Amino acid sequence: MIAVPSPLRLRLSSEALVANWRWLARQSGAAACGAALKADGYGLGARAVMRHLAAAGCRDFFVATWAEAAALMPLPAGVSLSVLHGVGEDDMVAARLLPARPVLNSVEQVQRWRDRGEGQPCDVMVDTGMNRLGLRVEEALGGALDGLAIETLHSHLASADEDSEQNGQQLAAFRALHERIPARRYSLANSAGVCLGDDYVFGLTRPGIALYGGIPRVEAAEHIRQVVFPEARVLQVRAVPAGETFGYGASWTAPRDSRIAVVNLGYADGYLRCHAGSGGATWEGQALPLVGRVSMDLTAFDASDVAGMREDEWLHLDYDLPDVSARCGLSQYELLTGLGSRFERIWN
Ligand SMILES: *Cc1c(COP(=O)(O)O)cnc(C)c1O
């Protein structure tokens, strides 16, 4: 096999990832701080994220599906993995064979695990007001979980990124569950929930986005570092005379004799068309605004004011998550999880 270099890459900082986890772990106080690894580690690569965080001391990991769990095997020594979407009929073989626990989400799933889980450990999700996944509080308190050996009892906050009354309501509901349903541990907070303070952390926290550089609430802004740095190679630098246009729809007209750098990046890579108008990149510290539309695998940046820009140089895309999110309208989560497989992921 020949090694084929990719013209686009994600530079990933393991140092920033671990520093973000350590900050979240400090905010979690006496509670253990886990890590959500679903969607391939929010697009960074779940295996590598797990390896770096396990080496730093993280012990509790969460994925959405059994396919995601299988892709993480074999697990590093001493870590635990929970599968948030529970266990459907088709998941039973994987759930029995893999060293991971289902997070049981419904009375049906609890029954399935009682009947055929062979006494293996499980987590349980109780819904405290989001109405997405989880048993209803009445079901949980009404006997549906009696006698079940629960490793971790979870609930999930719907509005933790806002100063919403719903946070206090969900906290009160979870406290009632904490008093009445025995489990080895209790877990309520995602990244934003960790920022809500000590009341929300219980025995285990489940941050995701903040590990990867997202700012879930202002309280985190000074502490969370950027982890993901996308770069794209310049395929061509072309002179566009004043008055000529660029690209599909001829949506950009050169206001002066211009030089544009065309890079190997587009919406097929998760760099979506909404970046047009606000996107940008830098090269050797100089800013290059995006021009025209984003195509499937090509995007152009204005290099008119950048001396020395040539083919084969690498542009650093603007990817500060809260800033880019505010400018293009995608959420910080979408900005990460959309990054496609054509990016070579390079950790340092
Ligand atoms: C995704 C997820 C998390 C992590 O949420 P972030 O907002 O990324 O911190 C935690 N718990 C559950 C149940 C989730 O689905």
Side-chain angles (χ1 to χ4, degrees):
M1 269 254 295
I2 51 165
V4 181
S6 174
L8 63 173
R9 60 197 183 195
L10 293 182
R11 293 217 171 268
L12 301 164
S13 169
S14 57
E15 206 191 37
L17 173 75
V18 167
N20 292 342
W21 180 74
R22 292 217 163 102
W23 183 76
L24 289 157
R26 279 199 300 282
Q27 297 308 109
S28 300
C33 181
L37 292 178
K38 55 201 187 183
D40 201 19
Y42 288 45
L44 283 70
R47 281 188 87 82
V49 170
M50 181 183 242
R51 183 162 42 80
H52 290 301
L53 292 181
C58 183
R59 289 290 168 265
D60 300 276
F61 295 92
F62 303 91
V63 291
T65 67
W66 289 96
E68 290 181 340
L72 285 169
M73 300 299 147
L75 298 178
V79 310
S80 103
L81 182 64
S82 299
V83 179
L84 291 164
H85 291 188
V87 65
E89 224 17 79
D90 292 349
D91 301 320
M92 279 305 288
V93 171
R96 277 199 301 249
L97 292 178
L98 292 174
R101 301 191 299 275
V103 179
L104 305 176
N105 282 306
S106 66
V107 172
E108 290 80 353
Q109 291 186 11
V110 169
Q111 196 55 49
R112 185 173 294 130
W113 201 248
R114 283 187 200 275
D115 292 345
R116 287 181 286 136
E118 296 172 353
Q120 292 185 42
C122 63
D123 291 0
V124 170
M125 174 70 68
V126 180
D127 181 76
T128 51
M130 188 172 192
N131 274 316
R132 198 175 61 169
L133 292 179
L135 281 80
R136 291 189 62 84
V137 171
E138 315 81 271
E139 292 171 336
L141 296 177
L145 301 174
D146 287 1
L148 190 68
I150 302 172
E151 171 62 32
T152 305
L153 184 78
H154 299 268
S155 191
H156 190 49
L157 296 164
S159 306
D161 56 342
E162 294 166 30
D163 292 325
S164 161
E165 282 178 17
Q166 194 180 18
N167 296 325
Q169 291 161 1
Q170 288 195 263
L171 177 61
F174 196 61
R175 281 187 167 143
L177 294 164
H178 181 245
E179 274 166 30
R180 296 185 46 196
I181 298 181
R184 201 175 73 78
R185 283 198 299 190
Y186 299 81
S187 179
L188 177 64
N190 61 349
S191 301
V194 171
C195 299
L196 290 176
D198 297 348
D199 287 350
Y200 286 81
V201 301
F202 291 87
L204 170 66
T205 57
R206 305 185 306 265
I209 191 74
L211 294 168
Y212 310 114
I215 308 295
R217 291 180 61 93
V218 288
E219 292 89 333
E222 285 179 17
H223 305 283
I224 294 298
R225 289 165 53 184
Q226 185 171 347
V227 177
V228 178
F229 300 86
E231 299 177 355
R233 201 172 74 201
V234 176
L235 300 175
Q236 196 173 82
V237 179
R238 55 188 310 127
V240 182
E244 289 195 12
T245 60
F246 168 77
Y248 284 122
S251 64
W252 182 78
T253 304
R256 54 177 167 159
D257 289 346
S258 301
R259 276 157 34 87
I260 62 172
V262 181
V263 305
N264 199 115
L265 166 80
Y267 57 76
D269 304 301
Y271 192 77
L272 301 187
R273 287 159 33 112
C274 54
H275 291 292
S278 70
T282 57
W283 181 76
E284 297 200 337
Q286 304 169 82
L288 293 84
L290 191 158
V291 298
R293 289 188 193 166
V294 175
S295 310
M296 185 182 295
D297 24 47
L298 293 170
T299 300
F301 296 88
D302 187 353
S304 303
D305 295 327
V306 180
M309 172 57 58
R310 284 187 308 270
E311 279 185 22
D312 285 336
E313 296 292 349
W314 287 82
L315 299 192
H316 308 270
L317 298 175
D318 296 349
Y319 227 67
D320 174 77
L321 293 175
D323 179 51
V324 173
S325 169
R327 286 199 269 155
C328 76
L330 295 175
S331 71
Q332 300 179 77
Y333 298 82
E334 291 168 295
L335 286 171
L336 287 180
T337 58
L339 292 169
S341 59
R342 293 195 292 189
F343 281 99
E344 186 180 348
R345 282 145 171 88
I346 302 171
W347 289 88
N348 54 30

